[in-house]
Amino acid sequence: MTNVYVAAIEAIGEAMIRNKEYLTDLDAAIGDADHGINMVRGFEAVRGKLGALPPEADLATVLKTVAMTLISTVGGASGPLYGTAFLRAAAVAQGKSAVDGATAVSLFMAAVNGIKERGKATRGEKTMLDALEPAYEAFAAGVGDNKPLPDCLELACAAAERGIEYTKTIVATKGRASYLGERSLGHQDPGATSSYILLKALNDFCRRRPAEEA
Amino acid sequence: MVGIVIVTHSPKTAEGICEMAVQMARPGQKIIPAGGTADRRIGTDAAKIGEAIAAADEGDGVVVMVDLGSAVLSAETALEFVDPELRARTAIADAPVVEGAISAVVQASLGGSLNEVLTTAESARNLRKK
């Protein structure tokens, strides 16, 4: 039987591969033109590492493996940022055999807080947080209303998508795009975009496997 | 002596800064480049940085010089995974990477403490060119 957590991460990796040029083009406009390339390199390394795990690997092990691999293979700032997100989520997942609503909210919160802490960033600086933080809030609100988890993920995706649109309206003050100052206006943030792609891939994955939640 | 680690996006930048800094160093001074990714692409790699920190430490601590963005994030991430005692005697300098590295190496080779090397590296941002 395939490991559902591994399959979910692989779905994210496939989404990054599909969007490699798109992410790199967005990054070419306001950064160093490597975001798609870096994300794909990271998730391809992740696929190799996950393939070496025993099939019964638990969520914490899968998340930690993703974290350590992204941290050492991505190359750009998204490596330590996404890596820290997965690492903090892994700490929350430790000892958990299933993911219920409350656990999913804690995982998501730990991941977002990990990125805030690592990047010393807040919302409104034209970063992945402009997609991820509203997504987390929408997700947590959905869980609070006792909605099914896939529906909560749908809400999170919609919020992240609005977050991407929002990044077009602000000037970057963090990351490579901040070197461009006002010239970063009008462009959407590549990091916010890859965050949306990640959530969307997870959402699509859950829609395909309604009985299981990753 | 306090060890120095140089973290830059290009592996060549880190190696070049080390070559420059060695000219000012006492024999045996550890100056370790940790630039680029494992496959020498442009980028930074927390695992590589962690190994460099461990290699640079002789017990007196390590000052890590960084260039931009992900160099800082990767260096901070690397510190999460090094031995806690080594982490406690490692500092990331908030300094220009070339001038800071030269200043740090001079102070380290004079037998400066971790804090002295860090302060000297960070004061390099006040060096004027004209």
Side-chain angles (χ1 to χ4, degrees):
Chain A
M1 200 192 103
T2 48
N3 182 313
V4 64
Y5 304 124
V6 170
I9 300 294
E10 282 175 349
I12 293 171
E14 284 156 19
M16 293 301 165
I17 291 168
R18 280 197 302 277
N19 288 284
K20 180 179 179 180
E21 281 178 31
Y22 174 51
L23 288 173
T24 295
D25 288 348
L26 290 174
D27 197 25
I30 56 170
D32 46 3
D34 63 5
H35 190 47
I37 296 163
N38 285 345
M39 291 301 285
V40 167
R41 191 171 300 250
F43 274 96
E44 278 177 345
V46 162
R47 185 164 54 190
K49 295 277 184 189
L50 291 181
L53 287 180
E56 69 278 11
D58 64 4
L59 177 59
T61 305
V62 170
L63 292 174
K64 179 136 196 264
T65 304
V66 174
M68 299 310 290
T69 309
L70 292 180
I71 282 169
S72 61
T73 59
V74 168
S78 46
L81 290 169
Y82 282 124
T84 303
F86 278 99
L87 196 63
R88 296 293 181 266
V92 171
Q94 200 66 48
K96 299 242 168 33
S97 55
V99 179
D100 60 10
T103 305
V105 171
S106 305
L107 286 169
F108 204 156
M109 184 173 74
V112 174
N113 284 341
I115 289 176
K116 289 170 89 165
E117 169 211 341
R118 178 67 67 215
K120 298 179 193 76
T122 54
R123 226 152 127 174
E125 295 180 309
K126 201 172 179 113
T127 71
M128 46 178 81
L129 284 175
D130 292 314
L132 282 177
E133 202 166 52
Y136 161 72
E137 286 168 3
F139 185 82
V143 172
D145 293 340
N146 290 316
K147 294 196 166 102
L149 285 185
D151 291 0
C152 298
L153 259 181
E154 189 84 44
L155 292 171
C157 287
E161 206 165 10
R162 288 192 296 276
I164 291 177
E165 288 304 310
Y166 168 64
T167 63
K168 292 180 185 170
T169 69
I170 54 176
V171 171
T173 53
K174 277 276 182 327
R176 197 63 71 90
S178 64
Y179 287 82
L180 294 177
E182 294 284 330
R183 278 171 294 156
S184 66
L185 261 180
H187 297 280
Q188 78 187 58
D189 181 61
T193 309
S194 63
S195 292
Y196 165 73
I197 289 167
L198 188 157
L199 290 171
K200 178 77 167 49
L202 206 52
N203 185 28
D204 293 345
F205 177 81
C206 291
R207 299 265 157 206
R208 291 198 300 273
R209 300 180 68 122
E212 289 156 304
E213 173 58 33
Chain B
M1 282 183 282
V2 171
I4 312 292
V5 170
I6 312 291
V7 181
T8 61
H9 280 63
S10 161
K12 292 185 214 162
T13 308
E15 287 155 13
I17 292 172
C18 287
E19 281 175 13
M20 279 175 72
V22 160
Q23 296 185 311
M24 309 291 287
R26 221 169 68 189
Q29 170 71 49
K30 294 275 180 66
I31 314 166
I32 313 239
T37 62
D39 50 0
R40 288 185 70 82
R41 278 181 304 126
I42 297 281
T44 56
D45 172 357
K48 188 188 237 192
I49 297 165
E51 286 163 18
I53 291 170
D57 182 55
E58 295 180 308
D60 297 324
V62 179
V63 170
V64 184
M65 308 302 307
V66 290
D67 64 355
L68 319 169
S70 81
V72 186
L73 302 187
S74 288
E76 287 171 350
T77 306
L79 284 181
E80 268 194 50
F81 301 107
V82 301
D83 172 77
E85 285 183 11
L86 175 54
R87 184 189 312 145
R89 57 174 186 265
T90 301
I92 300 169
D94 181 8
V97 66
V98 181
E99 291 87 338
I102 306 292
S103 304
V105 161
V106 169
Q107 189 64 38
S109 285
L110 289 170
S113 67
L114 175 64
N115 200 40
E116 285 168 340
V117 175
L118 179 67
T119 307
T120 306
E122 295 192 339
S123 64
R125 80 165 75 87
N126 301 319
L127 292 171
R128 301 292 301 267
K129 310 262 160 111
K130 56 191 284 190

